[in-house]
Amino acid sequence: MIEIKNVTKKYPNITAVDHINFEVKDGEVVGFLGPNGAGKSTTMNMITGFIEPTEGQIIVNGFDIAKKPKKAKKQIGYMPEGTPLYTELTVKEFVNYMAELKSVKSKQKKEMVKRILSEVGLEGVQNKIIRNLSRGYKQRVSMAGALVGDPAVIILDEPTVGLDPKQITEIRTLIKELGKKHTVILSSHILSEVSQICERVVIINHGKIVAIDTPENLENKTKEKNTILVTVEDPKENMKNLQEQVTEISEIKFLKDNEDGTKQYAISSSGEMDLRKKLFEVLPKQEITIFELKKSESTLEDAFIKLIDTTSSQTVEKQVKDKATIKAEKAQKKEEKAKEKQIKKENKKKGGDK
């Protein structure tokens, strides 16, 4: 459905997107993630045809967006961040206007507008002026505009930002329904949302793709193996000696003091052994009361942070190395010029002596 081939976007002083490649399959719901300044919005703007890539190719439903922009853009419904709407129009007037912009045939327009208003839950407010609507309804109006023309691809940029919990739940349900009929690219900073809605995740950082996988696989790849989280009451501080009692423990890490006087630790084992049974046996004997004991679970947010931190440190390291290389090259050139100058001076002196 969408093919991103070796796409790059350069500005005078920065490479915003650096030779990225990924695909989004027909009917797939994909999360597109990245920290601020990672190149996420630039990539989305290139997919929608709003800006042109410096290099590379973008194909939407078989159409190259550079060679056949009208046909490619017709495949896309875009809901930008911040809900930019014509707020002096009524909801129905706005959706009608979007239908005219997208050249929907007159015979189909009335029925299409009616259907879309129903799909996104706007029937009850269709005659209200947009500026008088709540943030949640404005998000729905923006989504309705993206759905006009029945595009094959729906791109949603931060669709739930600024909404209350009830509105967020409603929009998430709506996005899941959209995924049954459309290919969806969803950008969001709420990673639990992406984990619930998306089948795959693409993560970008410093203009490069750092991961493409399912949320579940990313969570499993980055979670701590064989780590138990335990909350205990330990008045005699016997947790310090626990490793002597349970030799399978490789590390005991103190995490925090709780308001009720309990403490939380992360306990890791060196092998594949599940420590829970052993801890239930040993801790009471050490006069340690267990309040909670559970396996450490990784989330998409944990995976995202680890991937971003790793790639950021690698980028900084590369930049330091590049600067050192440039400095060394400059020093070498300076030394070579000095040698050339000295040789010329000596040759000139020899010529004068003769």
Side-chain angles (χ1 to χ4, degrees):
M1 179 59 71
I2 300 175
E3 298 174 74
I4 310 295
K5 299 180 178 180
N6 206 35
V7 169
T8 299
K9 183 61 182 178
K10 293 181 180 180
Y11 294 101
N13 299 316
I14 191 171
T15 300
V17 175
D18 190 3
H19 298 92
I20 65 170
N21 295 274
F22 68 90
E23 291 183 8
V24 180
K25 297 173 185 175
D26 188 15
E28 202 173 20
V29 181
V30 172
F32 193 49
L33 308 177
N36 292 332
K40 185 169 81 282
S41 295
T42 302
T43 302
M44 294 179 77
N45 282 329
M46 287 191 288
I47 294 172
T48 59
F50 186 69
I51 59 175
E52 293 182 7
T54 308
E55 300 173 34
Q57 188 180 31
I58 298 171
I59 298 171
V60 182
N61 204 17
F63 299 104
D64 188 317
I65 204 154
K67 295 176 181 177
K68 296 182 178 178
K70 285 187 177 179
K71 288 185 177 180
K73 289 176 185 179
K74 196 173 182 180
Q75 310 303 310
I76 299 169
Y78 181 39
M79 177 184 171
E81 185 181 2
T83 59
L85 302 167
Y86 294 103
T87 56
E88 70 278 7
L89 299 178
T90 66
V91 172
K92 190 174 181 180
E93 285 171 344
F94 175 79
V95 180
N96 265 304
Y97 177 61
M98 292 301 293
E100 289 174 15
L101 286 180
K102 294 186 179 184
S103 303
V104 176
K105 292 178 181 178
S106 300
K107 292 180 181 178
Q108 299 173 343
K109 187 169 67 173
K110 186 177 179 181
E111 186 57 38
M112 179 180 286
V113 169
K114 184 180 178 181
R115 173 170 54 81
I116 289 171
L117 289 172
S118 175
E119 281 180 8
V120 297
L122 289 171
E123 288 175 304
V125 296
Q126 62 181 301
N127 296 315
K128 289 191 175 183
I129 295 172
I130 293 171
R131 68 168 172 265
N132 296 329
L133 297 177
S134 68
R135 180 65 183 263
Y137 273 118
K138 285 177 181 174
Q139 294 283 67
R140 288 172 181 265
V141 174
S142 186
M143 194 175 286
L147 290 172
V148 170
D150 291 327
V153 178
I154 304 293
I155 297 178
L156 308 172
D157 194 358
E158 299 291 346
T160 60
V161 68
L163 303 185
D164 64 40
K166 184 175 183 294
Q167 292 168 336
I168 288 172
T169 302
E170 290 170 351
I171 294 294
R172 283 179 185 171
T173 302
L174 190 53
I175 294 169
K176 286 178 183 177
E177 287 300 313
L178 291 178
K180 295 176 182 178
K181 300 178 184 177
H182 307 267
T183 299
V184 179
I185 297 179
L186 167 68
S187 170
S188 176
H189 281 99
I190 306 172
L191 301 191
S192 59
E193 178 174 272
V194 173
S195 186
Q196 290 175 37
I197 297 172
C198 300
E199 298 157 37
R200 273 198 312 145
V201 174
V202 178
I203 300 177
I204 187 170
N205 193 28
H206 295 292
K208 294 180 179 290
I209 301 297
V210 298
I212 302 175
D213 213 330
T214 65
E216 185 181 5
N217 284 345
L218 287 172
E219 289 163 12
N220 289 335
K221 283 176 184 177
T222 54
K223 76 178 180 182
E224 298 290 336
K225 290 185 178 180
N226 303 312
T227 298
I228 303 296
L229 296 178
V230 58
T231 302
V232 298
E233 189 175 65
D234 181 25
K236 295 185 179 180
E237 298 190 355
N238 289 332
M239 286 292 290
K240 292 177 182 178
N241 306 316
L242 185 62
Q243 213 160 345
E244 296 173 13
Q245 306 297 321
V246 184
T247 55
E248 294 87 353
I249 293 174
S250 59
E251 183 186 17
I252 300 175
K253 186 178 179 182
F254 172 73
L255 298 180
K256 63 178 180 177
D257 281 309
N258 297 317
E259 291 181 2
D260 60 0
T262 60
K263 297 181 179 184
Q264 188 180 50
Y265 294 85
I267 302 175
S268 302
S269 62
S270 51
E272 295 298 319
M273 178 185 178
D274 189 339
L275 289 169
R276 288 177 293 181
K277 186 177 179 181
K278 190 83 173 178
L279 291 173
F280 269 120
E281 291 175 2
V282 173
L283 291 180
K285 292 176 184 178
Q286 300 298 312
E287 298 181 70
I288 300 169
T289 305
I290 301 170
F291 276 66
E292 186 180 44
L293 192 149
K294 63 180 180 180
K295 269 195 168 185
S296 175
E297 296 293 336
S298 181
T299 64
L300 182 59
E301 187 172 352
D302 297 326
F304 176 81
I305 290 168
K306 285 183 182 179
L307 286 164
I308 295 305
D309 285 348
T310 302
T311 53
S312 293
S313 61
Q314 288 171 349
T315 301
V316 170
E317 193 176 314
K318 185 177 181 297
Q319 287 171 346
V320 170
K321 285 181 180 178
D322 290 345
K323 284 179 182 178
T325 303
I326 292 166
K327 192 175 181 180
E329 287 174 353
K330 283 182 179 179
Q332 189 177 350
K333 285 179 182 178
K334 192 175 181 180
E335 189 179 338
E336 287 172 358
K337 282 183 181 180
K339 283 181 180 179
E340 286 176 13
K341 193 175 180 182
Q342 184 64 30
I343 291 167
K344 284 179 182 178
K345 191 176 180 181
E346 288 175 0
N347 289 338
K348 191 175 180 181
K349 189 179 179 182
K350 285 178 183 179
D353 290 343
K354 288 178 181 180

